[in-house]
Amino acid sequence: MASRFDSKTYVLNQFNALASKYFPQEYMRVNSGKKGYRLSDGTQNLIEKAKTIVNRAEESRETIPHSTTNIYKYGVVFQKIFEDLSQFQALTSVKSRSRRGYRKELEFMGFDLKKIELELKKSSNPPVKSQKDEKYVRDIKKQYIQMVVDGEFQNLKSDIEEKKSLFILENSVGYKFFDIQTRLVTSITQKFDQLRRLKDEKEKIINSQETFRTKIKEISPQIPKYKEIIHIQKKALGIYERTDKK
């Protein structure tokens, strides 16, 4: 039995095949509903993150990874397309086999793929310096090795957090690298904090011991005096006489 033709699935498959040439396939999600097609919230949020990073880097003149600039470059185009989707749609027709075996032509509204690809090809690079993710990571490794040698762990931790935020694709080389570094540095700083606490505790104990020694030295000369006072008081109370009688 011939399966029922799903025009929405067909349209989305065509679009995704084209979009994957410009945008990471696993991050491009398009939802379809009564109001038509739209970019998913996840895809929109990812593009907005890229726009924020690029705008910030433009002001600070910071170099950012290529994976992020690529999301920006084509992400803004996809946003533009879906904001005015009627300009990028066209009637599509396909031949489909009916349940009785007859071939018929179906016509429905789909994406104008040629127009969309032309728009994507016209997209310009963002106004910032970018570097391939692999080279970015190689260069930063050299800096981090020196920071570890110099014992600059707090500065290292801060720099890792800052650099990690520039990589928005979780499967990118940079994101994975900085994710590992975050865990390693966190573990190291925790051990340093624990060592610092132990040293402080040791110092307190040593100080306490010294205080007790000083007190003992102050008290020791007075012990014979108080022993004599106690002896005199016991004698005055007749304790020794009662003991002798027993």
Side-chain angles (χ1 to χ4, degrees):
M1 181 182 293
S3 59
R4 185 177 179 181
F5 177 74
D6 186 344
S7 61
K8 286 186 177 179
T9 300
Y10 177 83
V11 167
L12 286 175
N13 286 341
Q14 279 195 317
F15 173 81
N16 288 329
L18 170 63
S20 63
K21 293 163 58 177
Y22 300 91
F23 202 93
Q25 187 173 4
E26 59 271 35
Y27 295 99
M28 173 56 71
R29 293 287 181 271
V30 176
N31 297 332
S32 62
K34 293 181 179 179
K35 294 183 179 180
Y37 300 99
R38 67 177 185 85
L39 290 176
S40 70
D41 292 341
T43 301
Q44 287 277 22
N45 291 336
L46 188 72
I47 297 169
E48 289 302 321
K49 281 184 181 179
K51 288 163 72 173
T52 299
I53 292 170
V54 168
N55 292 336
R56 192 175 66 209
E58 188 176 3
E59 293 178 1
S60 62
R61 297 183 180 180
E62 184 179 10
T63 300
I64 58 177
H66 179 73
S67 59
T68 300
T69 56
N70 191 67
I71 294 294
Y72 175 94
K73 179 179 180 179
Y74 296 111
V76 293
V77 178
F78 281 117
Q79 283 184 328
K80 176 184 174 183
I81 289 169
F82 280 90
E83 283 170 2
D84 192 13
L85 192 57
S86 61
Q87 300 299 315
F88 297 91
Q89 286 185 299
L91 284 174
T92 302
S93 62
V94 294
K95 291 182 179 180
S96 175
R97 188 178 295 277
S98 67
R99 294 182 179 181
R100 295 183 178 182
Y102 299 110
R103 293 185 66 83
K104 60 180 180 179
E105 191 169 292
L106 299 176
E107 192 172 68
F108 48 87
M109 186 63 72
F111 291 99
D112 189 335
L113 299 177
K114 289 183 179 180
K115 192 172 182 179
I116 289 174
E117 185 156 31
L118 179 62
E119 199 71 19
L120 289 165
K121 287 181 176 179
K122 288 193 302 183
S123 62
S124 57
N125 292 320
V128 292
K129 291 182 180 179
S130 68
Q131 194 175 46
K132 288 185 177 180
D133 292 26
E134 293 78 6
K135 188 176 188 311
Y136 191 100
V137 170
R138 283 199 305 270
D139 291 346
I140 210 71
K141 276 182 180 179
K142 297 174 185 177
Q143 296 178 31
Y144 286 177
I145 289 172
Q146 188 59 48
M147 292 176 79
V148 170
V149 171
D150 295 338
E152 299 179 11
F153 291 105
Q154 287 301 327
N155 291 337
L156 178 60
K157 184 178 180 181
S158 299
D159 195 77
I160 287 173
E161 290 174 355
E162 181 184 342
K163 295 294 191 299
K164 182 182 177 182
S165 67
L166 301 178
F167 291 85
I168 57 177
L169 301 184
E170 294 183 3
N171 62 353
S172 65
V173 172
Y175 188 96
K176 291 177 181 178
F177 168 76
F178 285 103
D179 193 46
I180 293 172
Q181 301 313 304
T182 298
R183 292 198 297 270
L184 287 174
V185 173
T186 299
S187 176
I188 291 172
T189 52
Q190 285 175 347
K191 285 179 172 57
F192 269 103
D193 289 341
Q194 185 178 9
L195 179 61
R196 193 178 298 108
R197 287 195 298 272
L198 290 173
K199 285 183 176 179
D200 291 343
E201 189 175 348
K202 178 184 176 183
E203 188 68 25
K204 288 179 182 177
I205 292 172
I206 291 173
N207 292 337
S208 297
Q209 289 177 337
E210 190 60 35
T211 301
F212 284 128
R213 288 193 189 96
T214 303
K215 287 290 184 184
I216 290 170
K217 285 181 181 180
E218 292 175 356
I219 293 170
S220 294
Q222 300 180 45
I223 290 176
K225 175 184 174 182
Y226 283 100
K227 280 185 176 180
E228 182 63 26
I229 292 172
I230 293 170
H231 178 76
I232 292 170
Q233 288 179 340
K234 282 184 176 181
K235 191 173 182 180
L237 292 170
I239 292 174
Y240 294 117
E241 290 180 7
R242 289 195 293 272
T243 303
D244 291 341
K245 288 179 181 180
K246 287 182 180 181

